[in-house]
């Protein structure tokens, strides 16, 4: 598609020429047209890469489509309703600088626009444009204090059982083959597998033994299909999307024993956390959080949200001065520490520097991260991870006074270690120290039962080479000063609630990690626009109040 001519100037009879009585200075649509739309227009040169310069029919203006997409997430409406708003809503037309009588377009145009952004790696263009405008306006600094936290996001698919996942993978692969494979070239087993896996479903009321048998049968069927595809003369068949997905599902769910003719299902312990949970969205992975009644499970993604931290005290009624400076969507199975590393890389590509002070929870704090932050002259404000494990009812490392530098440790009973060994892992190079106490000392210790099991002869303690840093943080976090500073992290919970409740971040609108990233970038941009415009409205109202107060004494 080629691009139309573009202009930011309003015509005489456009909605943008409406009176100020209809859209006063504090109206959000007027402010969107004055503050936000010009920012989006500046990104048009990047949007041009998504279109052909002089080929095909004239496309719908991409700046208009990006503005509509942003308004969609501001007001939480789907594509079809967004097009209706452009048709009927004067405020939307005013905000988007549309002219009266402009042609409308089909809602699928918005779908195609999002697809273009994903294909040209421009998912963050709207978020980046708004963020750059906030930086230019002085609301956000490129090096600023931040708070960081994550929230779960459900994929647009349900969680399947292992059997259903394999069967669905077979069904999709067979349907894909049916489109490109003539009946004359179909193998002998085609009718049998088509009837078993395309035209029928598993009875959920079947016994455990029946389901286990069907799992083995599904593995045989998948192995038969993949074996036939491997020997097919047309290489395009095995490289097709659903055929490759079936091969992945088979590899994740079954084990081919050398010398055996048939594959057997893997045990639960052999399954990987990266495995496909639903063939309709292979990117959506399984994750769990918490334990017991507090345990939360989901299939989908994890979203890291970074927000600025302004320590200034707000006036009564003053809107927040904090803005979102990072929205990172990644696999649900990945840890928060991995997400923090990816967030750092993303912010760097957006022109932001590492925050001098970062407020986080315990999931982001480790000995390595504390040492790294200190070496870079930054502060990582968050509680150290708790000690615990199978022997959490006994003395943990927190109960010992450890001086790694001097290879000295004192147990809760006041006894010093008698031996210290330096250990190095060959695979990772990680260094740790093992402290040991004398058997005779432990045997006569009155605290023995609180320290070691009855069958153990003496106590050993293994800590990392930077354990002193971790120990210092655990001591520091008990102080009132540290607790007061850590309160700056709490507001990120409210921001996440705002993103979930007002903008729909809890559930993915689309399938696939790439499109879900696009959704969350628009959500972050919409939240920043809303906060930005509220700040502008508050400033205008404050100025008007001040002017009114100055005029009143003069009239008296």
């Amino acid at each position: 598609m080629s691009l139309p001519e573009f202009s930011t100037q309003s015509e005489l009879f456009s909605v943008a020429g409406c009176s100020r009585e209809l859209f006063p200075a504090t109206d959000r649509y007027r402010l969107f047209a004055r503050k936000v739309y010009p920012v989006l227009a500046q990104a048009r040169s990047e949007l041009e890469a998504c279109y052909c310069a002089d080929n095909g029919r004239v496309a719908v203006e991409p700046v208009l489509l990006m503005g509509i997409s942003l308004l969609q997430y501001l007001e939480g409406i789907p594509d079809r309703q967004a097009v209706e708003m452009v048709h009927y809503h004067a405020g939307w037309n005013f905000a988007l600088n549309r002219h009266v009588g402009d042609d409308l377009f089909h809602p699928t145009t918005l779908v195609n626009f999002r697809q273009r952004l994903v294909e040209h790696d421009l998912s963050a263009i709207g978020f980046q444009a708004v963020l750059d405008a906030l930086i230019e306006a002085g609301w956000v600094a490129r090096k600023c204090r931040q708070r960081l936290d994550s929230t779960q996001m459900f994929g647009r698919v349900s969680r399947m059982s292992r059997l259903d996942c394999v069967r669905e993978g077979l069904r999709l692969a067979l349907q894909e083959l049916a489109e490109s494979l003539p009946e004359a070239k179909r193998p002998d087993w085609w009718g049998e597998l088509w009837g078993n896996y395309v035209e029928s479903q598993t009875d959920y009321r079947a016994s455990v033994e029946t389901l286990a048998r069907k799992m083995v049968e599904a593995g045989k069927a998948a192995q038969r299909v993949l074996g036939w595809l491997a020997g097919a003369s047309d290489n395009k068949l095995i490289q097709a999307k659903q055929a490759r997905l079936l091969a992945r599902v088979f590899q994740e769910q079954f084990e081919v024993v050398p010398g055996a003719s048939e594959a057997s299902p893997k045990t639960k312990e052999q399954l990987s956390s990266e495995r496909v949970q639903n063939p309709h969205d292979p990117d959506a992975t399984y994750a769990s959080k918490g334990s017991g009644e507090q345990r939360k499970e989901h299939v989908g993604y994890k979203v890291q949200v970074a927000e600025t931290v302004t320590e200034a005290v707000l006036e009564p009624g003053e809107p927040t001065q904090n803005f979102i400076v990072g929205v990172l969507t990644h696999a649900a199975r990945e840890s928060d520490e991995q997400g923090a590393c990816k967030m750092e890389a993303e912010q760097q590509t957006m022109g932001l520097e590492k925050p001098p002070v970062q407020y986080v929870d315990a999931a982001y704090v480790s000995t390595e991260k504390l040492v790294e932050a200190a070496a870079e002259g930054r502060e990582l404000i968050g509680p150290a991870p708790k000690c615990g494990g199978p022997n959490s009812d006994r003395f943990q490392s927190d109960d010992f006074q450890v001086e790694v530098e001097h290879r000295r440790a004192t147990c809760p009973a006041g006894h010093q270690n008698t031996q210290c060994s330096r250990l190095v892992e060959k695979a990772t190079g990680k260094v740790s120290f093992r402290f040991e106490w004398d058997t005779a000392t432990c045997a006569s210790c009155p605290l023995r039962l609180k320290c070691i099991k009855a069958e153990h002869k003496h106590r050993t303690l293994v800590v990392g080479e930077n354990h002193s840093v971790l120990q210092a943080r655990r001591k520091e976090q008990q102080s009132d000063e540290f607790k007061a500073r850590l309160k700056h992290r709490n507001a990120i919970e409210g921001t996440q609630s705002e993103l979930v409740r007002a903008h729909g971040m809890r559930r993915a609108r689309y399938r696939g990690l790439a499109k879900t990233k696009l959704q969350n970038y628009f959500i972050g941009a919409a939240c920043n626009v809303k906060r930005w415009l509220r700040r502008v409205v508050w400033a205008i109202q404050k100025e008007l109040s001040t002017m009114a107060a100055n005029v009143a004494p003069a009239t008296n």
Side-chain angles (χ1 to χ4, degrees), residues 166-167 169-170 173 189 193 197 215-229 243 246-247 249-251 254 263:
V166 177
R167 289 181 60 90
L170 271 166
W189 44 259
L193 296 191
Y197 297 100
M215 182 67 174
V216 175
E217 292 174 354
K220 294 178 182 178
Q223 194 172 17
R224 181 185 295 182
V225 173
L226 294 172
W228 182 84
L229 288 172
L246 177 61
V249 171
F250 177 78
Q251 184 180 8
F254 296 90

Side-chain angles (χ1 to χ4, degrees), residues 197-233:
Y197 297 100
V198 178
E199 296 179 345
S200 64
Q201 297 180 351
T202 304
D203 186 359
Y204 68 92
R205 296 167 297 182
S207 63
V208 176
E209 293 77 11
T210 301
L211 295 177
R213 175 175 54 81
K214 287 186 176 294
M215 182 67 174
V216 175
E217 292 174 354
K220 294 178 182 178
Q223 194 172 17
R224 181 185 295 182
V225 173
L226 294 172
W228 182 84
L229 288 172
S233 57

